[in-house]
Amino acid sequence: ARWLPTNLKVILGVNVGLSILGYIAMASISRTLGDTFIKANLRGIDLNKQTTKRDADGNLVRPIEGIPIPESQGTIAAAVYILLLSVFIPFAFARENLELFPHNEMAEYLAAVLTITFASFMGFADDVLDLRWRYKIPLPFLATLPLLLVYYANGNETGVMVPNQLRWLFGDAIDLGVFFYAFLLILAVFSTHAINIYAGVNGLEVGQAVVIAGSVLLLNIIQLHRIPDQYKNYRDSHVQSIFLIVPFLAVSMSLLRLNWFPATVFVGDTYCYFAGMTLAVVSIIGHISKTMVLLLIPQVLNFLYSCPQLFSFMGIPCPRHRMPAYNASNGTVCNSYAEFKPTELKPLGLLVFTVLKSLRLVHLKPGKEEGSVMMSNLTLINFVLYVMGPCREDVLCLRLLMLQLGSTFLCFSLRFGLASYIFDV
Ligand code: UD1
Ligand code: MG
């Protein structure tokens, strides 16, 4: 490869060593600063635990006497991660002979750090200020531009391979040009938010990120060993991607231990945005952005299913929290609902509601008011509860993570099984 030094194994060893430090630092800083976060009002009450007060119908009334636990611990994860990446720079890029200094690769790396840092900063602002959606969409869009410019400048191609069977028509590859950049921008904005709206169960936010990041790491390692010599330029992009993903996995796994049921900390929007953007960035740098879409299948499904509630113009209400409800009598979590009168929906909302109802994609029960219905909230979490029934919170989290693993298996079998029949890979 162009810039990879001969002692790559040593450098990867340093990367892993720093990551282990990150794993330890994440947990110990969180333990030390927990009270400081609580004092700064960065705290939350676990809504699905005994301390939560429910009325006779099992609806959440108001958390009482719940003991607040530190929120926004993703701030620590992101800070540790960004500092690790800074410390790693001299190991990865310093060369004795300055003429061999890998400026291009370092520019790519720095753009990645800048983009991830901005996303984390926006997450922190969201934790503290509760930003409006009208700001939350364009901001990650702007933050991704430096990375895309570097991608462009480094001559990274924007083509997609054409299946063998269609090559007589389209040629070997189609250059998507500017549309490919549009796709990368949308991927970055989507994945920044996708984790945050697939949340509300202890361990789920970090758990999904760990599964996806683990898959990305595995994919990069496999690719690194499979690449034929004529494509060896791609090797450095996989190595760059590994440099960024290993420390991310380390801080995330450390945070997962603290956030796993029963959670002792919450990760906050900071973690969700930090993780989402990191995954987008490593997939752009590692040239696996199309594969990333497959790894994000649960997040895509959750987003599509959520749309009727997210777009308020349909008239379907979106409660502040759509996480599962808690059944205090047996300690399980069950569906949470949104109540509305179908007759008061906007035409499009009514159409969507009728489709969801007739395809039995939601659980419905009569509402408390005359003519109103209770519809299970439109999240993948609620859908899994509806299909598989109530269970303890950690069991639910495991089921959802199995689903995530399922999309990893699908992704790998398409990538390495099916794809070899239709592409020359
Ligand atoms: C998003 C979801 C919301 C979900 C919430 C849970 C959308 C549009 N928004 O909102 O439906 O309820 O995440 O994170 O889908 N909490 C728990 N247990 C957990 C995680 C969180 O009780 O395992 C509670 C805590 O009180 C915590 C709060 O949720 O303080 C954090 O919510 P926040 O991240 O601010 O919600 P949003 O991201 O706005
Ligand atoms: Mg959140």
Side-chain angles (χ1 to χ4, degrees):
R2 278 174 289 153
W3 65 285
L4 292 178
T6 41
N7 54 349
L8 181 62
K9 288 210 172 101
V10 177
I11 297 180
L12 281 172
V14 172
N15 188 274
V16 172
L18 286 174
S19 301
I20 293 172
L21 279 184
Y23 182 94
I24 299 167
M26 167 67 230
S28 87
I29 296 174
S30 174
R31 214 171 297 125
T32 317
L33 290 188
D35 287 337
T36 316
F37 272 78
I38 291 182
K39 275 200 205 102
N41 228 353
L42 290 166
R43 58 185 175 206
I45 290 169
D46 202 329
L47 300 173
N48 285 328
K49 297 293 179 300
Q50 280 294 355
T51 48
T52 309
K53 177 98 177 135
R54 300 272 157 169
D55 68 10
D57 298 328
N59 297 312
L60 183 110
V61 178
R62 188 169 68 84
I64 49 150
E65 62 189 335
I67 308 150
I69 57 175
E71 172 80 86
S72 281
Q73 295 302 288
T75 314
I76 300 173
V80 168
Y81 176 75
I82 293 160
L83 291 178
L84 283 183
L85 292 192
S86 305
V87 174
F88 183 57
I89 287 178
F91 295 99
F93 301 104
R95 298 285 182 276
E96 261 174 54
N97 180 351
L98 276 186
E99 275 168 24
L100 295 178
F101 192 90
H103 289 282
N104 293 352
E105 286 70 22
M106 185 155 153
E108 192 172 63
Y109 184 95
L110 289 177
V113 176
L114 180 65
T115 305
I116 295 170
T117 306
F118 184 82
S120 316
F121 184 49
M122 186 180 95
F124 188 65
D126 200 14
D127 272 332
V128 181
L129 307 172
D130 268 320
L131 298 178
R132 302 273 191 81
W133 275 105
R134 74 173 82 121
Y135 304 119
K136 291 200 279 188
I137 298 292
L139 290 181
F141 190 88
L142 299 177
T144 316
L145 292 176
L147 181 67
L148 293 196
L149 188 65
V150 178
Y151 185 88
Y152 171 75
N154 284 1
N156 292 309
E157 80 302 326
T158 52
V160 289
M161 267 197 264
V162 174
N164 290 341
Q165 294 79 355
L166 293 175
R167 291 203 170 165
W168 57 274
L169 187 59
F170 296 112
D172 287 355
I174 300 178
D175 187 14
L176 294 180
V178 70
F179 293 106
F180 192 75
Y181 287 99
F183 160 71
L184 294 183
L185 277 175
I186 292 170
L187 175 69
V189 176
F190 173 79
S191 73
T192 304
H193 292 295
I195 295 180
N196 192 34
I197 62 168
Y198 188 35
V201 177
N202 286 181
L204 183 60
E205 290 110 314
V206 210
Q208 59 186 304
V210 165
V211 172
I212 301 171
S215 316
V216 169
L217 177 62
L218 193 62
L219 197 72
N220 277 314
I221 294 176
I222 297 177
Q223 295 286 65
L224 208 55
H225 286 95
R226 278 170 45 112
I227 289 179
D229 273 347
Q230 75 257 36
Y231 294 126
K232 65 174 187 269
N233 272 353
Y234 282 104
R235 278 194 194 134
D236 30 350
S237 49
H238 291 302
V239 171
Q240 279 272 44
S241 187
I242 291 176
F243 284 169
L244 296 172
I245 203 75
V246 175
F248 173 76
L249 255 177
V251 293
S252 298
M253 277 157 48
S254 183
L255 187 55
L256 181 58
R257 267 188 55 203
L258 305 174
N259 183 239
W260 190 258
F261 176 92
T264 53
V265 305
F266 288 131
V267 303
D269 297 338
T270 315
Y271 180 79
C272 300
Y273 295 178
F274 157 61
M277 188 58 106
T278 304
L279 294 173
V281 164
V282 294
S283 73
I284 293 173
I285 286 190
H287 292 260
I288 50 168
S289 51
K290 286 157 281 172
T291 312
M292 182 52 97
V293 177
L294 293 173
L295 293 176
L296 292 176
I297 287 174
Q299 286 70 20
V300 172
L301 290 177
N302 182 59
F303 170 70
L304 294 176
Y305 190 52
S306 290
C307 280
Q309 278 188 312
L310 295 182
F311 298 116
S312 48
F313 62 81
M314 295 195 200
I316 299 177
C318 182
R320 168 67 183 85
H321 280 296
R322 302 190 298 160
M323 65 173 68
Y326 181 66
N327 183 344
S329 63
N330 59 8
T332 59
V333 283
C334 48
N335 276 130
S336 63
Y337 295 85
E339 182 170 3
F340 56 90
K341 290 183 177 157
T343 47
E344 289 174 3
L345 292 179
K346 301 273 161 20
L348 186 59
L350 187 60
L351 177 71
V352 169
F353 174 66
T354 314
V355 171
L356 288 171
K357 184 177 157 186
S358 32
L359 294 179
R360 297 183 186 220
L361 291 173
V362 286
H363 186 246
L364 290 170
K365 57 185 191 183
K368 277 174 256 136
E369 275 179 51
E370 187 64 35
S372 78
V373 294
M374 309 264 274
M375 179 184 77
S376 56
N377 280 310
L378 300 174
T379 64
L380 192 57
I381 306 174
N382 270 293
F383 187 75
V384 166
L385 279 170
Y386 163 53
V387 173
M388 303 187 75
C391 58
R392 218 173 73 168
E393 194 176 352
D394 52 342
V395 176
L396 175 61
C397 186
L398 280 174
R399 285 179 183 167
L400 294 165
L401 292 182
M402 291 309 281
L403 201 68
Q404 191 76 51
L405 264 182
S407 75
T408 295
F409 280 122
L410 181 72
C411 169
F412 276 70
S413 40
L414 286 178
R415 186 70 192 75
F416 297 115
L418 191 63
S420 56
Y421 290 105
I422 51 177
F423 299 119
D424 296 324
V425 289

